[in-house]
Amino acid sequence: MNTKIGRNDPCPCGSGRKYKQCHGREAVNDAPTPDDGERAVERALGWLHEFRRKAFGQRLQELIDDLVFDPARQPARLPDDFLQQVQINFTEWVLADGSIPVRGTDVRTIDLVLGTDGPAFSPAQRQRLEQLREQPLRLYTVTDVQSGRSLTLCDALDTAAAPVVVDEDLGSRALEPGMLIGARILHLDNRRELSGAIYGYTPLGSAVVTEAVRAAAEAGAGPYSQRAAAGYEIMREWARQFTEPRRVPKMMDAASGEPLLLITDHYRVRDDAALARALAGCADVSGDARQGWRREFTGSDGLVRSSVVVNPGKQPDRIEVFYRTQRQADEGRPWFEGVAGAAVAHLTREITDPQGALAHPSPGSAPAATGAPDAALPPEVLAQAVEQIMRKHYANWCDEPIPALGGQTPRQAIATAAGLERVKGLLRSYEEGEDRQSTAQGRPAFSYQFLWDALGLQR
């Protein structure tokens, strides 16, 4: 990627002006406008362009080549808006966290700019740049959006950290609750703002980058190296979403810690009544023929979970027995067939590796959230079916540990202000997703109000 900027190209600082009208203008050392904090980065980059152009440009180019244009990856043509965001995001990184050589010694770029030999800044400009130096690039979960006004962000790694409300116009129009972003929050007088660089992640990318940043932060040798390492992973995993095949995090069963493997045994039912009697006689089994049965156990955390789930099949004389791991299937099938006896006959086993399925989707497959409505079902019937499924799925949600809450249950998390905002953010993200799904399917939206009510929460 060529870092040489034409005079009529957009300025890489993200101001929206042409380069010749921003950092490329001749009068880089004009007196600053009083309290013009928003011009601080422009002015800093203009000074670097004037006095440290080669060193700064070389470090920026090295970063871009390393994270975007590594010849070993040979990416296909990359989107223009991505390349433009690369220029903006990485320029801020080299300014705020990078270093450039000065007389044979690497000096942190922001220290050089704010030093005695740097340009003159107004108090507001200096405050902004000092915040750029102090505040690290971190991962945040968006928990609330006030379009055109503000975002509420929660630290994605430190689940005990208090939520932060930032004044944000453009970002609040594009982001939704539940999204994970990499960002730098500037503390300016009595308000909070985002610095300008924003790294957004897909759902798959969110899990991958969280693992990478946590490992980098733990491995750092000191405060600055930890900050730099974590920020570098935020940038790298963001770029990888565009430059590499999708990367899927390890998918583990929350209860056992074993690899998740979705296994379904299909059976023909020879005697409905005998099967129902056999399962009803098991003390650890709950349910009935209409809703299905669950073999339950109490985990080490005191929560009740299922190891075997028996669901009605797609035909009247069929059932499907579902397991979440290979061990559950190895132990569950002999148990089930021993209980059911001659009342059932095994037909086939279906195994789905969710990690492999996500990494290699079927050609032409559509995302789950964009399915067309089922033409055979009226919207009201489809809505009723969805509600039954979702209420069953979320029946124990309030008291189940959730990774996004640091392993706490929603009921436990709401005891603190930080946890309360995270729980509300989860509920808002569910509602945003349901709004999109119901619109795509042409049906009324399912309401998650019952979860708000179960926890006694106000919106």
Side-chain angles (χ1 to χ4, degrees), residues 4-61:
K4 185 176 181 181
I5 307 168
R7 286 175 53 76
N8 291 312
D9 290 341
C11 187
C13 76
S15 65
R17 290 186 287 275
K18 293 181 179 180
Y19 179 66
K20 67 182 180 182
Q21 298 168 334
C22 193
H23 298 139
R25 64 190 187 278
E26 296 295 328
V28 296
N29 285 317
D30 288 347
T33 302
D35 299 324
D36 189 11
E38 295 183 1
R39 302 290 297 275
V41 172
E42 294 183 30
R43 186 164 185 77
L45 292 178
W47 181 83
L48 288 166
H49 180 79
E50 180 78 6
F51 297 104
R52 294 287 187 269
R53 177 190 299 188
K54 182 177 179 180
F56 186 84
Q58 182 177 343
R59 287 297 161 89
L60 177 60
Q61 186 67 60

Side-chain angles (χ1 to χ4, degrees), residues 54-298:
K54 182 177 179 180
F56 186 84
Q58 182 177 343
R59 287 297 161 89
L60 177 60
Q61 186 67 60
E62 290 171 354
L63 187 64
I64 292 173
D65 288 344
D66 183 30
L67 298 186
V68 179
F69 287 99
D70 183 347
R73 292 195 294 266
Q74 296 182 344
R77 186 180 185 277
L78 296 170
D80 290 340
D81 56 348
F82 164 66
L83 295 177
Q84 184 177 8
Q85 194 65 36
V86 163
Q87 193 81 19
I88 294 170
N89 287 358
F90 290 10
T91 296
E92 180 182 289
W93 166 261
V94 178
L95 171 63
D97 293 290
S99 60
I100 59 177
V102 178
R103 302 184 186 92
T105 302
D106 272 4
V107 178
R108 191 175 172 190
T109 313
I110 194 70
D111 290 342
L112 188 65
V113 168
L114 289 172
T116 55
D117 294 332
F121 294 109
S122 71
Q125 290 173 343
R126 180 165 289 276
Q127 180 193 31
R128 183 175 290 268
L129 290 172
E130 288 174 346
Q131 279 292 298
L132 202 64
R133 174 168 58 185
E134 179 180 341
Q135 301 300 331
L137 184 61
R138 297 184 65 87
L139 290 176
Y140 296 97
T141 300
V142 180
T143 58
D144 193 20
V145 176
Q146 300 297 318
S147 183
R149 291 187 294 164
S150 67
L151 298 170
T152 301
L153 305 177
C154 286
D155 193 297
L157 299 185
D158 184 0
T159 56
V164 179
V165 179
V166 297
D167 297 333
E168 177 64 27
D169 182 4
L170 295 178
S172 65
R173 300 177 191 275
L175 302 177
E176 296 178 354
M179 286 185 172
L180 184 77
I181 63 171
R184 196 186 309 265
I185 298 178
L186 307 183
H187 299 220
L188 304 171
D189 298 327
N190 296 322
R191 70 186 189 282
R192 304 290 183 266
E193 293 182 8
L194 298 184
S195 63
I198 298 179
Y199 302 80
Y201 301 92
T202 65
L204 284 180
S206 297
V208 173
V209 70
T210 300
E211 291 178 3
V213 171
R214 182 179 284 113
E218 292 173 353
Y224 180 68
S225 60
Q226 287 178 340
R227 163 183 169 150
Y232 185 85
E233 293 300 326
I234 289 174
M235 293 190 298
R236 182 172 69 167
E237 296 301 338
W238 172 73
R240 279 180 168 179
Q241 297 176 121
F242 299 87
T243 62
E244 295 184 4
R246 65 171 68 192
R247 302 175 67 238
V248 181
K250 293 180 180 179
M251 304 186 70
M252 312 299 287
D253 175 51
S256 65
E258 299 168 0
L260 193 64
L261 192 65
L262 310 181
I263 301 174
T264 303
D265 283 322
H266 297 267
Y267 291 86
R268 180 167 61 86
V269 180
R270 292 170 170 167
D271 189 332
D272 291 322
L275 176 62
R277 286 195 302 271
L279 291 172
C282 298
D284 57 352
V285 174
S286 63
D288 54 41
R290 185 176 64 85
Q291 295 184 345
W293 294 271
R294 296 162 59 95
R295 188 186 189 195
E296 299 175 332
F297 68 96
T298 301

